[in-house]
Amino acid sequence: MNEPTIVSFLCNWCSYEGADKAGGARLNYPANIRIVRVMCSGRVDPELVIQALKEGASGVLILGCHPGDCHYKKGNYKALRRAYLLKKTLKQLGIEEERVRLDWVAAGEGERFAEIANEMAETMKNLGPLELS
Amino acid sequence: MAERIGVYVCKCGPNIGDKVDVGTIVNKVRGIKDVAVAKSHNLLCSGDGLKFLKEEIKNEKLSRVVIAACTPKQYEVKFMRACEEAGLNPYLMQMTNIREQCAWVTPDKSAATEKAKSFVIAAINRVSLQESIEKKEIDIQPDVLVVGGGVAGLEACLSLAQKNRKVYLVEKSPCIGGLTARFEEVYPTMECAPCMIAPELQEVLQKENIETFTYSEIEEVVGSFGNFTVKVKKKARYVSEEACIGCDACFEPCPVEVSNEYDEGLSTRKAIYLPFAGSLPNVPVIDEDNCKRFKGEECSICKENCSFDAINFDDEDRIIEKDVGAIILATGSTLFDPKELPQYGYGKYDNVVTAMQLERLNASNGPTGGKIQLKNGKEPKSMAFVYCVGRKEKGYCSGICCMYSLTLAHLVKEKLPGVKMHNFYTDLCLPKKEHQKMYKEAVEKGIEFIRSGENVTVTDEGEKIIVGTNGKKISVDMVVLAPAVEPNVDTEKIAEVLDIPRDDQGFFAEEHTLMKPFATALEGVFVVGSCQGPKDIGDAVAQGGAAAGRILSKLIPGEKLELEAKVSEINEDLCSGCNICIVLCPYSAISRDTEKKISVVDETLCRGCGTCVSACPTGAARAKHFTKEQIFAEIKGVVR
Ligand code: FES
């Protein structure tokens, strides 16, 4: 039961609404998915991700609007570039890159949100908790 | 003074109450530092609930509030207002979503309770670091600039001009009315276009609150929504708009004759001219490029023939500065030049014309007074319309060419009932409720429709023109090409002046295709009509009105404009002046203070996305209400 958590940064406009839709449809996903609202996926800098891992999260999910749909035009593209670099860095630190996942969820995509949440939880279960030395 | 945090967990009836052990959460958080009260409520969003909340804030002298309930998307605004009414800054309240993102997705009650508890703790952590944010309001200028005097711009002008608000209409050409003024009849009503817009033109020119600058362009725009300063270049007309009575006595004697662009090159005009008969304002203009005088020759015939002393050769370009709160671009579009595609024979054969040329031939204010004729003056006995000229090259369907071609076909058929007509099309685009009917009527009139695809060639055979497609050849007297709609040449320059983006096709880019089709990335700048994409008259007018409505609801004379509260700020001492944020900001809201060598945020432009914050290498950029510390505190709570 006390599985390590997955901190999920959701952009306010699409992904947060997507997660709400999953709730509205009473779709289930593991309780260790813990949501933190940000205005845009472009606001999620590596510092936030690393902090989540430092605090004990086993993984971090960053969800934004689909490419082209960002409420602030291109924040999600910036998130994409950043995630790429971040994953590389994590790898060099010996942290599996699967621990950070960036994806897109539209406001209507409740099912997609639940699916991604379930997949992420499954991946983290397989990887086990993150041991930071 | 010590903080007093109030935590209120809503049961939302059974929605949360049955799935989450609310009592446990309330008990657990009571012991947390600074939590003065923790209570549950059956339905906080109800009238009773809100009253309860307001009383709690006052009676318990709360300095911060956490509300654990449904999604903030539903009632955050309501709860913020309640806080405000109870005297608490609304940004000192934090909502956490234990319904949609907890109770409804977690079947196991103890797991749901555990998760909800972590959300509540995260919210308590976060709210402790939240700061009050004061509403920012700025004084505004209610006046509006409209660029482009076609139907979309006219509609905007007339909707906006009212008491306490001036509208400045800037039109590049010497007359207003746009393309519509040059059409004879328009679909789907098939009514006389000049008659249809004449009252609007007159009203715009006469209305006290509208000032029209024809033969003018925008040169420079600075400022932001609510307070723009615009420089308009009013080109020298050399004819006084005040003195001229529009008697036309000056045209006749002018010795210069050049091709008339307003008749699509089908007629000639003088160096002093009116674009077409009846164009408004009824004041001619001297064309500097062609007037003898400006080529160094002695000539003042027009002046000599003017009885009103309206001609002034010393007239000069003038720069006029205006302060406006918003800008509407309605600069229109133009047609693709078929000369770029030699297979259509345009420019090579005299009787291959564009739809716009046929418009002018058919127009009673056109070069032939409305007589549809071949180059040799004879009536055509047969005609071919070729649709989709340039569609493939442009990469989009203009959506109006089928209809304007059909309209012309009907009009020609009315004037010349005996004419044989063949329409070569790729796909018929007849999207609106009246369009199909017009097509059916065309078929009933015996107009032939041939699905040629884009594979059409135009050649000649003696006097005749041969249109060939897929092995078929049809011989006609006249070919009418229906070119795609493309952005006006000055679109690029205007986009630069305003620093707004254009789309892949070169039109002004709208902020959101579906939800904000007439707004742009720059708040307070709107794009309406065909400068935003091909559009028919009705759609252009609708957009003009819609943008005007937006402005009317925001820029109210005598009232202030409320700005986004959750904006970014830059700490002067930490900023290294690297400029990264300036480049990344999607709204050009950050600029460089050249003296201090740092970045500064324009709060009127910032929309609070936080992109600058995550990119700032020194931590100087900070997103109000979404600071690093606040998010860190929240993370700490959710991971437990
Ligand atoms: S607002 Fe959703 S990713 Fe930018």
Side-chain angles (χ1 to χ4, degrees):
Chain A
M1 177 57 256
N2 262 348
E3 275 172 61
T5 50
I6 296 155
V7 172
S8 313
F9 295 107
L10 268 52
C11 88
N12 182 50
W13 303 100
C14 284
S15 311
Y16 195 89
E17 294 255 5
D20 277 350
K21 286 276 164 5
R26 312 294 197 276
L27 303 174
N28 295 335
Y29 56 86
N32 63 338
I33 297 285
R34 301 286 161 86
I35 293 166
V36 173
R37 177 160 70 137
V38 288
M39 291 312 279
C40 173
S41 64
R43 168 69 184 89
V44 184
D45 55 304
E47 226 184 340
L48 298 184
V49 177
I50 289 166
Q51 182 72 12
L53 296 175
K54 264 194 356 211
E55 289 282 359
S58 64
V60 173
L61 197 52
I62 307 164
L63 299 179
C65 312
H66 282 271
D69 294 350
C70 170
H71 188 76
Y72 306 103
K73 296 198 270 188
K74 292 202 170 134
N76 46 5
Y77 287 108
K78 285 160 195 149
L80 184 65
R81 275 186 262 161
R82 239 175 248 137
Y84 177 75
L85 276 181
L86 177 66
K87 282 175 166 232
K88 269 194 153 172
T89 317
L90 290 179
K91 214 161 130 192
Q92 282 164 355
L93 294 173
I95 300 172
E96 300 87 342
E97 44 178 315
E98 294 90 327
R99 293 199 186 270
V100 176
R101 174 169 174 183
L102 170 71
D103 220 315
W104 322 122
V105 172
E109 292 180 329
E111 270 180 39
R112 185 177 160 83
F113 174 79
E115 220 176 273
I116 293 176
N118 278 307
E119 276 171 26
M120 186 69 180
E122 192 58 34
T123 314
M124 290 311 109
K125 207 181 209 160
N126 294 338
L127 285 179
L130 172 66
E131 310 284 351
L132 283 181
S133 44
Chain B
M1 206 179 77
E3 293 291 348
R4 290 182 59 79
I5 303 175
V7 180
Y8 299 92
V9 185
C10 179
K11 289 186 184 156
C12 191
N15 283 299
I16 297 172
D18 284 0
K19 307 277 180 187
V20 170
D21 187 348
V22 170
T24 305
I25 298 177
V26 168
N27 286 334
K28 279 267 158 61
V29 302
R30 256 188 204 131
I32 296 178
K33 183 174 169 276
D34 293 338
V35 172
V37 220
K39 287 182 183 168
S40 67
H41 191 278
N42 198 42
L43 202 59
L44 265 180
C45 62
S46 64
D48 278 350
L50 292 166
K51 197 168 145 236
F52 161 78
L53 184 66
K54 286 193 257 183
E55 279 165 7
E56 286 279 303
I57 295 174
K58 283 190 224 159
N59 298 342
E60 296 286 347
K61 300 196 170 40
L62 299 178
S63 60
R64 286 155 204 275
V65 167
V66 167
I67 294 171
C70 54
T71 170
K73 297 274 169 176
Q74 205 165 350
Y75 293 130
E76 190 174 42
V77 173
K78 214 176 190 181
F79 289 127
M80 283 175 86
R81 203 177 311 130
C83 290
E84 217 175 348
E85 283 164 10
L88 183 71
N89 186 287
Y91 294 93
L92 296 177
M93 183 275 293
Q94 174 69 7
M95 261 193 101
T96 186
N97 182 349
I98 61 166
R99 192 179 72 178
E100 280 82 351
Q101 296 179 3
C102 188
W104 282 353
V105 291
T106 319
D108 180 88
K109 191 167 179 177
S110 74
T113 306
E114 193 55 33
K115 181 176 181 180
K117 194 180 80 192
S118 82
F119 277 7
V120 176
I121 294 173
I124 296 170
N125 288 351
R126 191 190 201 283
V127 86
S128 309
L129 299 176
Q130 282 172 206
E131 293 160 13
S132 357
I133 305 179
E134 294 313 322
K135 248 197 226 160
K136 270 248 162 75
E137 289 182 327
I138 51 162
D139 289 325
I140 51 112
Q141 175 57 258
D143 300 348
V144 179
L145 170 76
V146 177
V147 188
V151 283
L154 293 175
E155 176 64 29
C157 287
L158 292 172
S159 310
L160 286 164
Q162 50 168 231
K163 212 169 141 238
N164 299 328
R165 184 195 311 280
K166 266 200 101 151
V167 179
Y168 304 107
L169 171 62
V170 171
E171 164 61 46
K172 155 182 83 167
S173 79
C175 60
I176 58 173
L179 287 175
T180 310
R182 289 153 65 198
F183 297 152
E184 182 68 3
E185 284 179 24
V186 285
Y187 73 82
T189 51
M190 302 305 271
E191 65 192 289
C192 156
C195 323
M196 181 178 82
I197 65 162
E200 309 245 325
L201 297 175
Q202 292 293 3
E203 200 181 341
V204 163
L205 291 174
Q206 283 163 28
K207 215 170 180 132
E208 215 182 313
N209 294 341
I210 303 176
E211 197 174 337
T212 304
F213 301 97
T214 49
Y215 214 40
S216 302
E217 285 165 17
I218 54 166
E219 286 278 289
E220 193 188 296
V221 176
V222 290
S224 54
F225 188 32
N227 295 286
F228 290 104
T229 301
V230 188
K231 278 194 184 136
V232 175
K233 179 163 104 185
K234 190 163 171 38
K235 290 187 280 180
R237 195 179 190 111
Y238 304 103
V239 181
S240 156
E241 282 167 78
E242 291 73 44
C244 174
I245 63 143
C247 68
D248 299 358
C250 52
F251 308 162
E252 254 302 295
C254 174
V256 179
E257 211 157 302
V258 292
S259 162
N260 185 359
E261 59 274 39
Y262 295 92
D263 273 337
E264 302 294 306
L266 295 172
S267 68
T268 55
R269 61 164 173 80
K270 298 300 180 75
I272 182 164
Y273 70 104
L274 265 185
F276 49 89
S279 67
L280 289 172
N282 188 12
V283 178
V285 53
I286 294 181
D287 160 11
E288 261 179 41
D289 295 335
N290 291 298
C291 172
K292 286 193 163 186
R293 228 189 139 81
F294 293 93
K295 290 181 170 167
E297 291 177 47
E298 270 301 312
C299 179
S300 49
I301 297 180
C302 53
K303 194 174 169 68
E304 287 153 23
N305 280 277
C306 177
S307 322
F308 302 91
D309 200 19
I311 293 171
N312 168 18
F313 295 124
D314 300 325
D315 197 6
E316 279 178 349
D317 290 354
R318 272 186 300 143
I319 297 289
I320 298 158
E321 217 178 89
K322 293 287 174 199
D323 291 330
V324 294
I327 298 170
I328 295 182
L329 298 177
T331 54
S333 54
T334 183
L335 294 184
F336 172 78
D337 182 1
K339 279 205 190 96
E340 286 181 34
L341 301 171
Q343 69 265 34
Y344 294 113
Y346 183 69
K348 187 169 171 197
Y349 309 120
D350 281 344
N351 292 317
V352 175
V353 299
T354 64
M356 195 60 203
Q357 284 176 318
L358 181 61
E359 278 287 357
R360 294 309 294 153
L361 281 177
N362 183 47
S364 36
N365 63 7
T368 56
K371 191 166 174 274
I372 297 162
Q373 60 186 38
L374 299 168
K375 187 78 175 197
N376 60 14
K378 285 192 196 148
E379 271 179 11
K381 299 237 164 4
S382 53
M383 287 170 92
F385 280 81
V386 180
Y387 294 37
C388 295
V389 173
R391 181 178 89 157
K392 203 163 98 203
E393 289 65 29
K394 295 263 102 185
Y396 54 86
C397 166
S398 298
I400 62 166
C401 328
C402 289
M403 282 308 295
Y404 74 59
S405 303
L406 262 178
T407 305
L408 285 168
H410 276 289
L411 294 173
V412 172
K413 210 56 182 157
E414 230 163 75
K415 273 192 185 161
L416 310 171
V419 77
K420 274 217 169 60
M421 229 180 264
H422 315 274
N423 287 20
F424 295 83
Y425 71 97
T426 307
D427 299 300
L428 280 179
C429 178
L430 309 168
K432 296 195 176 169
K433 57 184 179 186
E434 314 87 348
H435 296 181
Q436 201 72 37
K437 190 169 151 247
M438 278 184 66
Y439 166 68
K440 263 177 71 188
E441 284 168 4
V443 174
E444 280 159 18
K445 283 183 188 165
I447 297 172
E448 189 189 8
F449 286 84
I450 302 157
R451 188 164 195 171
S452 56
E454 272 132 357
N455 175 26
V456 174
T457 52
V458 177
T459 50
D460 69 337
E461 206 176 270
E463 293 274 276
K464 292 282 194 182
I465 302 173
I466 313 293
V467 183
T469 181
N470 308 324
K472 200 171 180 172
K473 279 188 172 160
I474 291 177
S475 158
V476 291
D477 294 332
M478 183 187 236
V479 170
V480 183
L481 304 176
V485 178
E486 63 178 22
N488 258 333
V489 273
D490 52 354
T491 312
E492 189 178 351
K493 187 191 149 199
I494 296 172
E496 261 168 42
V497 167
L498 278 152
D499 198 13
I500 56 166
R502 291 187 302 146
D503 59 23
D504 294 342
Q505 293 77 31
F507 294 99
F508 293 126
E510 65 281 3
E511 185 176 6
H512 189 283
T513 310
L514 302 176
M515 301 306 289
K516 288 185 176 164
F518 49 80
T520 67
L522 184 59
E523 184 140 41
V525 175
F526 299 86
V527 283
V528 303
S530 63
C531 63
Q532 178 255 341
K535 218 162 265 106
D536 66 18
I537 294 173
D539 287 351
V541 170
Q543 272 199 336
R550 264 292 147 120
I551 294 171
L552 287 173
S553 69
K554 295 232 169 179
L555 298 181
I556 302 162
E559 285 185 23
K560 291 180 185 249
L561 182 70
E562 195 179 327
L563 302 177
E564 169 66 59
K566 305 188 293 278
V567 292
S568 288
E569 52 190 359
I570 288 171
N571 182 328
E572 276 193 26
D573 299 332
L574 293 178
C575 179
S576 67
C578 71
N579 287 355
I580 292 179
C581 55
I582 299 180
V583 183
L584 287 181
C585 177
Y587 302 105
S588 311
I590 313 182
S591 58
R592 189 172 172 81
D593 179 329
T594 42
E595 233 162 71
K596 292 186 183 160
K597 298 198 176 61
I598 54 162
S599 294
V600 278
V601 177
D602 181 342
E603 295 202 353
T604 56
L605 293 177
C606 176
R607 300 196 197 175
C609 63
T611 299
C612 53
V613 183
S614 31
C616 178
T618 64
R622 187 169 178 272
K624 282 191 194 166
H625 209 56
F626 282 89
T627 66
K628 178 174 100 180
E629 294 74 19
Q630 289 162 4
I631 299 175
F632 274 17
E634 194 174 347
I635 293 172
K636 197 182 173 72
V638 296
V639 295
R640 285 168 299 148

